Structure formats: structure tokens, C-alpha cells
Amino acid sequence: MNIALKEASESEYWIELLGESEYLSNAEKDSILTDCRELLKILTSIVKSTFNSK
């Protein structure tokens, strides 16, 4: 899960860069970032709950 969280964070960074470079339209960037950030929240919650249960 930690690896997935790291990869999702990196994906967020690259999506933002693609939006800034206008490779993605604002609508595309916003849609993808919304999904990515939701995944980040879920993965963060899993990692925190796993860490706290040990």
C-alpha cells in the first residue's frame, strides 16, 4: 500500500504538469485529478489504519 500511495502521489504531480503544459485540457486535468486525489485519500487512510493497528 505504501508503494501504491507513493505512485499515486507521483501521478498527481505528473497530471498537474500535463495540465500546466496544456497537454491536457482543464476539464480533463480536473477530472483525472479528482479521481487521483480520491485514491490518495483512500490509500492514505489504509496506510494510516494499517500502521496504527501494528
Side-chain angles (χ1 to χ4, degrees), residues 29-49:
K29 179 191 77 162
D30 292 343
S31 175
I32 296 169
L33 275 177
T34 299
D35 293 342
C36 184
R37 289 179 177 148
E38 187 65 29
L39 283 171
L40 282 166
K41 289 177 187 177
I42 292 167
L43 291 168
T44 299
S45 177
I46 291 169
V47 169
K48 283 182 178 179
S49 66

Side-chain angles (χ1 to χ4, degrees), residues 1-15 32-33 35-41 43-44:
M1 286 300 140
N2 284 321
I3 293 170
L5 180 58
K6 180 182 174 224
E7 293 296 328
S9 294
E10 187 175 340
S11 295
E12 179 184 35
Y13 169 76
W14 285 106
I15 294 164
I32 296 169
L33 275 177
D35 293 342
C36 184
R37 289 179 177 148
E38 187 65 29
L39 283 171
L40 282 166
K41 289 177 187 177
L43 291 168
T44 299

Side-chain angles (χ1 to χ4, degrees), residues 17-30:
L17 285 179
L18 289 171
E20 292 296 320
S21 69
E22 298 180 0
Y23 186 83
L24 295 174
S25 69
N26 281 335
E28 290 172 320
K29 179 191 77 162
D30 292 343

